[in-house]
Amino acid sequence: MKQFIKAVLFLLLTLSAGKLCAQIQGQPYIDSLLKELPRQKRDTNQLSLLNDLAFAYYEVDKNDSGVRYAQQELDMANELSYKKGVANASNVLGAIHLAEFDFAKATAYFSTALKIFQESGDKTKISSVTLNMGNVYAYQANFPKALEYYIKALKLADETGDRNSAAFIVGNMGGIYLEMKDYNKALENLLNALKRFNDLGKGYEDDAARVTMNIGVLYQRLDDLKNAQGYNIKALKMAEDLGVRD
């Protein structure tokens, strides 16, 4: 089960330009946020910084720190009666608890975020959190329920032109169909996801590599060793280019 999760699931948070920096810069980015935090007044700007910090720590697998800053954000957002802040903090807390396989807490936090975003009508964030809810069920191998959420999320992502979210959703759907042994739908979705990630370009090479690996797994299960070898070699080359050695 852990191998499946590592291979095919993409946990998508509501990303901002700042949060994308966290993936690239790591600790230097975190240090810059910590330096800026005390300079901000206790308002929505500080809430945004707390959210960026929580996500940045989550990205570098420091979940205790991530929880601390997300909880600070949640407490402050409640004090300020700022629902968007409550939703953003809840989304990060859901992601952190999902990474720790605490499905009950992940579901509770994602449900809170989803309700608030639905009330505001923010389709982009509704799509993002709906995807995250699907991931909760996928991690528990409840694949039909996961697909139910993914299909809803994909519809919203396509409606809003959110190409980033759509690529992750389609990739997840391909992985789910692969586990369900529906190989025709798996191949259709994985090839679709690979094209989407390639079209997105720089910053999505690791995601394209994971999808390429899954296509190789699919062909291996079909005993199509020629195609399996071809995609496995491509995935290995992509991983080497990214500096991945294991």
Side-chain angles (χ1 to χ4, degrees):
M1 184 62 193
K2 287 184 71 176
Q3 182 179 4
F4 162 69
I5 293 169
K6 184 178 180 180
V8 305
L9 287 184
F10 304 96
L11 180 61
L12 180 71
L13 295 179
T14 308
L15 296 176
S16 69
K19 288 170 187 169
L20 287 173
C21 289
Q23 298 172 328
I24 299 169
Q25 299 178 15
Q27 191 60 47
Y29 176 67
I30 290 172
D31 292 340
S32 70
L33 292 175
L34 290 170
K35 186 176 180 180
E36 181 65 24
L37 187 62
R39 298 174 181 172
Q40 295 294 327
K41 294 181 180 179
R42 193 174 176 82
D43 57 14
T44 56
N45 289 327
Q46 192 171 79
L47 284 173
S48 180
L49 275 174
L50 287 168
N51 190 260
D52 287 348
L53 268 169
F55 182 84
Y57 277 117
Y58 162 79
E59 278 294 307
V60 297
D61 294 322
K62 294 183 178 178
N63 288 338
D64 288 345
S65 295
V67 167
R68 183 168 72 252
Y69 286 105
Q71 189 62 54
Q72 286 183 34
E73 179 191 11
L74 182 59
D75 292 342
M76 188 189 302
N78 279 317
E79 289 174 16
L80 298 174
S81 299
Y82 185 56
K83 285 190 173 183
K84 182 179 177 182
V86 173
N88 287 335
S90 297
N91 194 31
V92 179
L93 284 165
I96 293 171
H97 286 296
L98 179 55
E100 296 178 344
F101 304 102
D102 189 334
F103 303 123
K105 285 185 178 179
T107 299
Y109 281 117
F110 285 144
S111 295
T112 296
L114 186 58
K115 184 175 184 292
I116 294 171
F117 288 138
Q118 286 173 334
E119 289 172 354
S120 68
D122 189 331
K123 287 187 177 181
T124 298
K125 291 187 177 180
I126 294 169
S127 174
S128 173
V129 183
T130 300
L131 168 59
N132 289 341
M133 287 288 288
N135 286 342
V136 174
Y137 288 104
Y139 271 51
Q140 297 175 88
N142 187 342
F143 300 135
K145 194 70 175 177
L147 281 172
E148 181 182 320
Y149 277 97
Y150 289 157
I151 290 168
K152 290 178 182 177
L154 181 59
K155 183 175 184 294
L156 289 165
D158 285 338
E159 286 177 3
T160 58
D162 186 354
R163 296 168 61 221
N164 173 76
S165 297
F168 283 101
I169 295 163
V170 174
N172 277 15
M173 290 174 65
I176 293 297
Y177 283 123
L178 180 59
E179 290 305 299
M180 295 175 70
K181 300 182 180 179
D182 188 337
Y183 297 128
N184 288 332
K185 287 185 178 179
L187 183 59
E188 177 186 347
N189 280 275
L190 289 173
L191 289 173
N192 187 353
L194 182 59
K195 183 179 185 306
R196 289 174 185 258
F197 283 127
N198 286 334
D199 288 345
L200 285 167
K202 188 174 181 179
Y204 294 87
E205 296 90 347
D206 57 336
D207 305 305
R210 277 188 282 179
V211 173
T212 300
M213 178 184 69
N214 286 333
I215 295 173
V217 170
L218 186 155
Y219 278 119
Q220 188 170 348
R221 291 186 184 182
L222 292 173
D223 292 325
D224 185 340
L225 300 184
K226 181 178 179 180
N227 274 316
Q229 184 181 41
Y231 277 97
N232 287 336
I233 290 172
K234 286 180 184 178
L236 179 61
K237 176 65 166 59
M238 294 164 80
E240 288 175 346
D241 289 343
L242 290 165
V244 177
R245 291 289 179 264
D246 52 8

